[in-house]
Amino acid sequence: MTVTAFIIHLKRATKRGEHVRGLIERLPVKAEIVDAVDALEMGEGDIAAVYARSLNSPYYPFELRKSEVACFLSHRKAWAAIIDRKLDAGLIIEDDVEVDAGFAAQLQLAIDTLQPSDYIRFPRWPRGEAGAEIAREGANSIIEPELPGLGMQMQLVGRDAAIALFAATQRFDRPVDTTIQMRWLHPVRVLSARPITIREIDFDLGGSVVQGKNKTLAGRLKREILRPWYRVTLYLFNKVRR
């Protein structure tokens, strides 16, 4: 199977550059950089071309920040690279991720398990996902969660999965990770690897590059109230509409 790793890296995040170069050397597969879409270079027209509120049900209660739109477009660039290069799969990695000692064996199990329409998550935490085990080798396993977790730190994406996700997201109305959760929008089988073998080390690399977080008390309270409502609604949609 032909697999290339694509590390999504924002050029102006210079403190992460050394880490990315080291990660390329540490990964067990060939790796290269995909230039992330920079939110600071996006105009209103760029955003309007791809983002519109309330495209799909259930309703997503928050307006996307520029950085979230840019993140979505960066992952679409990685999916496009898999398609254009005619790869069997791509390992998509964000530039603040580090891998642990057991990662190589876990990745091999994922590669051995992967079907063309599969999307295998390597999450940074195990919470929020439960489902049937579909593959195991030693301490490593692959599960099919009832509702995939959030986060886009690392994923192994099959070629047909990349094609389907790219086609389904010409326009979008919510962040990329919760779009992946809406499995009635695409024919992709979303799986998850266990145990946890990656870490997010953004604080060691100068902190987050996400801009424009809502810092008002009212804004934080709104999110605290609406997030659990949205999670429950999404879970019910997945149960009924799969």
Side-chain angles (χ1 to χ4, degrees):
M1 178 179 288
T2 306
V3 179
T4 296
F6 297 102
I7 303 174
I8 298 175
H9 176 54
L10 188 63
K11 282 185 177 180
R12 62 180 167 84
T14 54
K15 291 184 178 180
R16 300 185 178 200
E18 182 178 353
H19 167 68
V20 168
R21 290 188 290 273
L23 183 60
I24 288 173
E25 297 299 319
R26 290 190 292 276
L27 289 170
V29 294
K30 177 183 175 183
E32 60 189 68
I33 293 171
V34 170
D35 290 330
V37 175
D38 193 339
L40 298 184
E41 296 180 358
M42 296 181 66
E44 294 303 318
D46 300 318
I47 295 172
V50 295
Y51 169 63
R53 298 200 68 176
S54 305
L55 288 176
N56 298 295
S57 295
Y59 169 72
Y60 186 70
F62 311 114
E63 184 174 0
L64 291 197
R65 301 186 295 268
K66 268 190 176 183
S67 57
E68 291 174 309
V69 175
C71 176
F72 206 130
L73 293 176
S74 298
H75 281 272
R76 293 191 83 245
K77 282 184 70 174
W79 299 338
I82 296 170
I83 299 166
D84 294 344
R85 302 266 287 276
K86 296 181 172 58
L87 299 173
D88 295 317
L91 182 67
I92 302 173
I93 311 169
E94 295 190 336
D95 66 357
D96 58 353
V97 166
E98 182 58 279
V99 297
D100 294 334
F103 172 72
Q106 188 180 75
L107 175 61
Q108 188 59 57
L109 175 62
I111 291 172
D112 293 343
T113 303
L114 188 82
Q115 298 298 311
S117 291
D118 286 350
Y119 174 111
I120 303 180
R121 304 181 66 248
F122 293 83
R124 61 174 175 165
W125 53 59
R127 67 178 183 265
E129 288 188 326
E133 182 177 286
I134 66 165
R136 174 170 287 276
E137 180 66 36
N140 296 302
S141 65
I142 305 294
I143 67 169
E144 183 171 8
E146 294 179 7
L147 180 66
L150 296 175
M152 297 295 293
Q153 285 74 32
M154 183 187 293
Q155 316 88 45
L156 182 66
V157 183
R159 175 175 168 77
D160 289 352
I163 292 170
L165 291 172
F166 192 82
T169 59
Q170 300 295 319
R171 290 174 65 80
F172 49 85
D173 64 355
R174 64 199 71 201
V176 60
D177 53 356
T178 192
T179 299
I180 298 296
Q181 290 179 314
M182 300 168 67
R183 288 175 292 177
W184 60 91
L185 291 183
H186 54 74
V188 176
R189 184 173 69 156
V190 182
L191 307 175
S192 191
R194 293 292 185 276
I196 304 305
T197 60
I198 70 165
R199 291 171 283 127
E200 193 174 37
I201 58 169
D202 56 323
F203 286 110
D204 297 332
L205 302 172
S208 174
V209 296
V210 173
Q211 303 293 319
K213 288 187 176 181
N214 194 326
K215 297 180 180 179
T216 68
L217 177 60
R220 291 198 301 270
L221 286 173
K222 179 182 178 181
R223 284 187 172 266
E224 289 303 314
I225 292 169
L226 292 179
R227 275 175 177 157
W229 168 85
Y230 177 71
R231 284 196 295 267
V232 171
T233 304
L234 190 66
Y235 176 79
L236 293 175
F237 262 71
N238 263 300
K239 293 285 283 186
V240 172
R241 302 186 63 172
R242 280 188 69 185

